[in-house]
Each structure stands twice: as C-alpha cells, then as structure tokens.
Amino acid sequence: MRIDIVSVMPELLTSPFQHSIMKRAQEKGLLTVVVHNLRDYGLGKHAQLDDYQYGGGAGMVMMAEPIANCIDDLKKERKYDQVIYMTPDGDRLDQAQCNHLSLFKNLIILCGHYKGIDERIREHYITKEISIGDYVLSGGELAAAVLVDALGRLLPGVLNDETSALFDSFQDNLLAPPVYTRPAEFRGWPVPEVLLSGNFKAIEDWRMEKSIERTKARRPKLLKSDES
Ligand code: 6GU
C-alpha cells in the first residue's frame, strides 16, 4: 500500500512512521508513506495557502488551488483509490472502516487546518471524509497518523504473528481479554491459574469469557450492534 499525505505541517508526520511496526512495514516494502508539503504549492511570492472566508467570519480557509494542484500532480503519477480528507465532521473511524481501507493500493490523505478547506475541493476531489472521534484537534496531521498506523498494521505480513491483528480489540466487535507476563506472582497478586495450566482449550474459553465480560462492562453497545 502507498499512502501520500498532503499537509501544511509535514514535520508533524515524520516521527510516527519511523518506529516499531510502521518502520518495519516500510522496510519490508509493504507500506510506503510519502508526505508532501502543501507549501510547495502555495500561491505568489509568499506561497499563500489560506485566505479569509467569503461572507465574513473569523478564521482562515485553505484555498482550493494549491490543494487541487498538489492532488493533480499526484494523480499524474498513479491512480488513487481514495482521496481522504481528515476532518472532525467526517465519518467516525472504526475498525470496520480500517479493514475496508486497508484493502486499497494507493491512498491520498489530505490534512485539514484552520477553518477547513474550500468546499469545492470536498465536492470535486475528496472521495471520503474521516474523523477519528468527537473532539477537535488543531489539524488533521495527528488524525492522519492514527489512520495510517491503524491501516499499516492490517497489511498482510506486517505483524510478525499474522493472526495477531485478528485477535485485536474490535476485530470481532469484542474487546481484547486481559494479558499477563512473568512473574506468576507480583506483590502477592497472582496470574489467573488457568493461564499457567497448559490446557489450551481452557485458556481459549477463559479468554472468550473475559472478552465478553469486558465488552459488556465497558462497551455494551458493541455486543448489540455495530455501534460503539
Ligand atoms: Cl480528522 N481533524 C481534526 N482537526 N480534528 C479532529 C479530527 C480530524 N478527528 C477528530 N478530531
């Protein structure tokens, strides 16, 4: 999968993909992330990217032309499956959407800033609008990093144990069960005995029971529907 991220703050997007699983995904050639500085497409000698909004009101709006030119340039190089705009009024991201998006080959992610982008870009370029939750961030970059991470780990071959993404919280609308590591007793607090029993059937049953218990307690709506 190749992901091109268009941003006015590309510095915010350097570190998130240079560590751990995202680093390995790129080293293995399974994921390519390229960040583009929208400033390179700014207008005039100040490389202007935003302007006052028509009709008045506080806050600047990202102009259509730099964004259109940048996306046009990318589209000259390859065909894109989706042009995603990160915005708090987009569809709320969930695991089902991540699974769906992880199947695409080429994605563009546009990070919003200021009051947002000129509506004509949303109408004519954007194919999907995504929010990562009902709260407002100062820009779309951190949200884009969340999306890329969530997609990257789903690509076949990225995780060491291929099955481990399947056991993630949410993958079957259940939260993950509790996990323990050594020592078997810490400050008088023991690890549940079944986990030390070597009885794999009993361990599987225990984990399923704990998953359901935890989901009921913390996210009951997950059990009733596809809602969170
Ligand atoms: Cl995608 N962008 C911004 N600016 N804020 C958000 C968001 C995105 N998702 C939740 N809050």
Side-chain angles (χ1 to χ4, degrees), residues 28 34 45 76 86 88 102 118 121-123 134 146 153 168-169 171 192 210:
K28 284 182 170 176
V34 185
K45 72 169 188 277
K76 283 177 202 154
M86 303 307 299
S102 75
D118 190 296
I121 293 294
R122 296 175 78 155
E123 285 169 8
D134 290 340
V146 166
R153 62 195 302 289
D168 284 347
S169 281
Q171 212 44 280
K210 289 293 165 189

Side-chain angles (χ1 to χ4, degrees), residues 15-219:
S15 178
F17 313 123
Q18 284 172 5
H19 308 277
S20 178
I21 292 169
M22 291 305 109
K23 179 182 180 190
R24 208 170 59 230
Q26 292 180 90
E27 284 171 352
K28 284 182 170 176
L30 301 169
L31 173 68
T32 305
V33 181
V34 185
V35 182
H36 304 272
N37 191 348
L38 193 61
R39 187 66 61 183
D40 297 341
Y41 290 85
L43 304 183
K45 72 169 188 277
H46 299 296
Q48 189 181 351
L49 291 174
D50 58 341
D51 209 335
Y52 298 100
Q53 56 178 313
Y54 278 121
M60 306 295 275
V61 173
M62 287 169 74
M63 293 188 293
E65 188 173 344
I67 297 170
N69 288 341
C70 180
I71 295 175
D72 286 346
D73 272 1
L74 287 171
K75 285 180 171 173
K76 283 177 202 154
E77 299 297 322
R78 65 195 64 76
K79 196 183 156 353
Y80 285 93
D81 301 297
Q82 297 281 355
V83 181
I84 299 167
Y85 174 45
M86 303 307 299
T87 177
D89 59 356
D91 292 338
R92 197 151 33 134
L93 188 64
D94 61 12
Q95 192 63 46
Q97 179 75 273
C98 291
N99 293 345
H100 172 67
L101 288 172
S102 75
L103 300 174
F104 289 119
K105 206 160 117 48
N106 296 309
L107 301 177
I108 293 174
I109 301 178
L110 172 64
C111 303
H113 259 271
Y114 318 115
K115 275 276 162 199
I117 63 175
D118 190 296
E119 188 67 18
R120 290 166 290 188
I121 293 294
R122 296 175 78 155
E123 285 169 8
H124 300 288
Y125 278 85
I126 301 300
T127 60
K128 199 175 273 295
E129 302 189 326
I130 293 178
S131 159
I132 63 163
D134 290 340
Y135 43 84
V136 179
L137 303 170
S138 12
E141 282 77 10
L142 296 181
V146 166
L147 177 60
V148 171
D149 188 293
L151 299 187
R153 62 195 302 289
L154 292 173
L155 302 176
V158 167
L159 295 184
N160 278 335
D161 180 354
E162 271 247 31
T163 61
S164 67
L166 298 176
F167 293 124
D168 284 347
S169 281
F170 302 112
Q171 212 44 280
D172 44 12
N173 270 0
L174 284 177
L175 302 184
V179 292
Y180 299 85
T181 186
R182 290 190 294 178
E185 186 175 316
F186 171 67
R187 297 188 181 170
W189 305 318
V191 168
E193 229 172 79
V194 62
L195 296 179
L196 312 176
S197 69
N199 181 341
F200 293 111
K201 172 78 172 77
I203 292 171
E204 275 307 288
D205 289 349
W206 180 87
R207 285 181 172 152
M208 181 52 71
E209 181 190 316
K210 289 293 165 189
S211 273
I212 293 168
E213 203 175 287
R214 186 161 274 196
T215 310
K216 268 185 192 155
R218 301 181 184 194
R219 303 288 298 278

